[in-house]
Structures are given as C-alpha cells and as structure tokens.
Amino acid sequence: MPPQRETSRTWGGRFTRATAPDALAFTASIGFDIRLYPYDIRVSIAHARMLAACGIISARDRDRIVAGLRAIEKEIESGRFRPQLADEDIHMAIERRLVEKIGAVGAKLHAARSRNDQVATDARLFVKDAIDAIDAAIARLQSTLLDVAERDGEAVLPGYTHLQRAQPILLGHHLLAYYDMLERDRERLADCRRRTDVLPLGCGALAGTTLPIDRRMLAKELGFKRIAENSIDAISDRDFIAELLAALAIVFTHISRLASDITLWATSEFGFVVLDDAYSTGSSMMPQKKNPDIAELVRGKSGRVFGDLLALLTVLKGLPLAYNSDLQEDKEALFDAVDTTKASLEALAALVG
C-alpha cells in the first residue's frame, strides 16, 4: 500500500503522499540530535521573546509559548515526553509537542526562522559548552601532573631518544613536557571558542527573512558576542565543528603519547612505575599480570577521534552552498569526539594521580 497523504509536517505543504517509512527511518536524526534539546529550548525561548519585542507576535502568545517550552523541557528531562521517529529531528519534535500543549499559537514560534539556522545555533551553543567542559578536564589533568611533579619530581630516570637511553633527566621535567603540550591544547580550544561565538539565528533557510527581526537582541539573549554577517555562510558553515575536532585530535596526539609512556614504564623491562590496582586489570589465565588498560584505551581511542575529524572533513569537502542534508552527519562525529575526549582526560587524570 502506498503511503497516505501527509500534510501535518512543517514542510509538508506541497506533498500529496506521506514519507515512506523506510525513507523516514533513513533520514530522521531524532535518534541522536535529541541531545540538543536543552539548547533548542533555549534558542526557541529567545526567539519567542524577540518575536514579541518586534511586534511579530503578542506578549500573551510569547508567554504561552515560553511556558509551554519550559514544560516540554521538564517532560523530556523526566522521560514523560519521548519524541517519535515521525518528528524527524529535535526541532520538529519540540514544535509538535508545543502545538499539542498550547494549540495553534505554538506554530507561531516558527515565524522568521528555519531549521537550518536553528540547528546551526544549537550546535554552536553545544560546542561552546563542550569546549568549556574539555578545558576544565585538561586543567584537571595538568593539575594532577603538577602534583606528581611536586611530590616525586626529583626522581632521576633515563631520558630517551630513538627509545634508547640518552641522558639522565628528572621525572618532573618529563611530566611538565606534557603540561606544556596540554597548555597549547587549551589555547587552541580558546581560539576555536572565539570563532564559534557567532550567532547564525535569523539567517533563515539561507537568505534571511523579510520579517523585522532583531538579531542583536537574540545574540544578547543567547550569549553570542557577534552575529553572522553572511547568511549563506552562516547556514552552511561547520568550520567551528571541524576546528574543534582538529583541536581534539591534537589533544589525543598528546595524551596518547603520555599513555604510551605509562604503558612502557609499567612493564617489567622498564619498571619505572607501579600502577594502582584500582586503575588496572588482570588476566583470566595469567594471574601474575597487571595490565595498564586505561592507558592502552586512551591510546586506542585516539583513532576514534581522528576518524571523527576525517569523517566530517569528508562530508564538508564537496558541498555546494548553502544547506545540504549531508550536514546532518556532523553531529554524531561531534558528540563522539567530545564524549571520548572528556572520558579519556578524566580516566587519565585518575590513573596518573
């Protein structure tokens, strides 16, 4: 049986047949972009306030929309509202639920915006928060390295070139080399955050809107320092994600080297360190073993983050302007790289400490 007529979707006006179930399953992003719901709610509240300030909707409609959005946020947090595959993405899921809760006035929220500028704004807010969290995790690892250097830094050990013993060095000197690497990582992340701090909301699908909106009010409300000047670039740009993933790949280049040092130092052949039992594993067959699994996994997970970067660059490299559905592929790489980096930094700090 062919799909039946479907006109309930925001974009469904010209269509006479519903999306085929297999096509919907393939194109929907709700399975992963639901993670953006706090940002989408925040963006929508700011948008509703701006629409009212510009006289596009009434103050009464604004208040109903904002109250409805706050209620939906609580429903998602508590698990009482579960988006459906038919929603396609988190933006439409929230708008659909808003109309269910407050009626047709909820549809007014979509005035003067597109999912294109909406998702670009959500993603930038996510990236800014992710950078802050990763910067804090790097700082904790740096602090741990300093603590070990202060406690045991006078210990003398061989320094190596070509993995051959070269000159005697102090443990503290060796550990602080990683401190400096991590400091450069923090500088790169700070630069990336500065370039991310640009508001795309108000750019619409690609060429703005004829409605009299106030983008500077949106920027202030959402905490962006600048507004995007070129709407086509703002919609199609994912440089900020690519730059973050590149910075995280370099973080992993550094912490993977630290993990490799720890793995070598814990061997019987080197014998420079003894790993805490709480952060080691053993063997089901060889009871004498103490395995440096955390260090090995940090080293191994570098491949995931390198892969996330390469995947995104491959998506972006041949796209014509402006928006294309290919850009939907940015989020899983982004989420995976951020999660993997935070978890690895925290695990490595615990191991080193």
Side-chain angles (χ1 to χ4, degrees):
M1 178 182 293
Q4 300 301 306
R5 179 178 174 85
E6 175 61 76
T7 59
S8 62
R9 291 188 185 136
T10 302
W11 51 263
R14 67 167 298 281
F15 287 81
T16 59
R17 299 175 68 196
T19 306
D22 54 348
L24 178 59
F26 184 72
T27 58
S29 60
I30 189 62
F32 50 86
D33 69 16
I34 189 173
R35 182 166 177 176
L36 294 174
Y37 83 86
Y39 303 100
D40 205 71
I41 294 283
R42 183 177 163 195
V43 167
S44 292
I45 288 174
H47 188 69
R49 288 174 174 163
M50 181 277 295
L51 291 177
C54 293
I56 298 169
I57 64 174
S58 68
R60 182 173 183 273
D61 286 348
R62 174 202 61 203
D63 293 344
R64 291 179 65 193
I65 289 171
V66 170
L69 289 167
R70 294 197 187 283
I72 293 167
E73 184 172 30
K74 291 178 181 178
E75 288 179 350
I76 297 175
E77 289 171 352
S78 66
R80 287 182 289 124
F81 171 50
R82 297 181 182 276
Q84 304 167 5
L85 186 64
D87 291 321
E88 297 182 37
D89 56 44
I90 189 59
H91 325 296
M92 292 297 95
I94 290 171
E95 286 197 25
R96 188 258 302 173
R97 181 59 177 150
L98 184 63
V99 172
E100 288 178 352
K101 290 182 73 69
I102 68 172
V105 67
K108 294 182 180 181
L109 178 61
H110 204 71
R113 76 174 182 183
S114 160
R115 285 183 293 177
N116 294 358
D117 58 345
Q118 194 173 345
V119 69
T121 306
D122 291 358
R124 284 178 182 269
L125 289 170
F126 176 89
V127 166
K128 289 202 297 180
D129 281 356
I131 288 173
D132 292 344
I134 291 169
D135 180 74
I138 293 174
R140 286 191 292 272
L141 177 55
Q142 285 181 301
S143 179
T144 301
L145 291 170
L146 282 176
D147 289 344
V148 176
E150 289 176 357
R151 184 186 68 212
D152 302 316
E154 295 300 315
V156 179
L157 69 158
Y160 290 81
T161 60
H162 307 280
L163 206 56
Q164 303 293 315
R165 291 188 173 189
Q167 291 177 291
I169 60 171
L170 297 180
L171 173 62
H173 191 61
H174 190 100
L175 293 179
L176 292 181
Y178 287 109
Y179 182 99
D180 286 351
M181 294 179 207
L182 293 170
E183 191 65 20
R184 293 194 298 275
D185 290 328
R186 295 180 70 186
E187 292 171 359
R188 269 183 286 272
L189 288 168
D191 285 344
C192 177
R193 194 186 193 285
R194 178 173 55 82
R195 280 182 285 276
T196 301
D197 204 10
V198 181
L199 175 76
L201 195 61
C203 291
L206 80 160
T209 176
T210 57
L211 293 174
I213 62 172
D214 185 345
R215 296 183 65 211
R216 296 195 182 280
M217 177 182 175
L218 286 171
K220 184 177 181 180
E221 182 92 11
L222 292 169
F224 284 95
K225 290 188 176 179
R226 294 180 290 147
I227 60 174
E229 296 182 0
N230 186 292
S231 62
I232 296 175
D233 177 56
I235 295 309
S236 60
D237 169 41
R238 294 298 184 271
D239 290 5
F240 63 101
I241 298 178
E243 186 174 1
L244 173 60
L245 298 193
L248 297 186
I250 297 173
V251 169
F252 262 95
T253 301
H254 295 151
I255 64 175
S256 179
R257 295 178 75 181
L258 175 57
S260 191
D261 273 349
I262 292 170
T263 301
L264 284 173
W265 289 359
T267 62
S268 299
E269 288 75 13
F270 278 74
F272 295 171
V273 298
V274 176
L275 300 178
D276 189 327
D277 284 358
Y279 294 97
S280 307
T281 64
S283 167
S284 61
M285 185 177 183
M286 298 166 285
Q288 81 279 9
K289 298 288 295 297
K290 181 187 279 193
N291 298 328
D293 278 24
I294 288 178
E296 291 172 343
L297 284 170
V298 167
R299 186 173 60 189
K301 287 178 185 295
S302 63
R304 289 180 63 151
V305 176
F306 296 167
D308 291 331
L309 172 60
L310 182 58
L312 179 62
L313 292 175
T314 304
V315 166
L316 297 177
K317 71 173 182 63
L319 293 185
L321 295 177
Y323 184 84
N324 298 271
S325 289
D326 310 52
L327 294 176
Q328 184 171 296
E329 292 296 307
D330 63 354
K331 293 170 202 63
E332 289 185 284
L334 169 62
F335 296 157
D336 181 70
V338 167
D339 292 346
T340 301
T341 303
K342 288 194 292 187
S344 297
L345 287 165
E346 290 164 2
L348 195 55
L351 176 66
V352 171

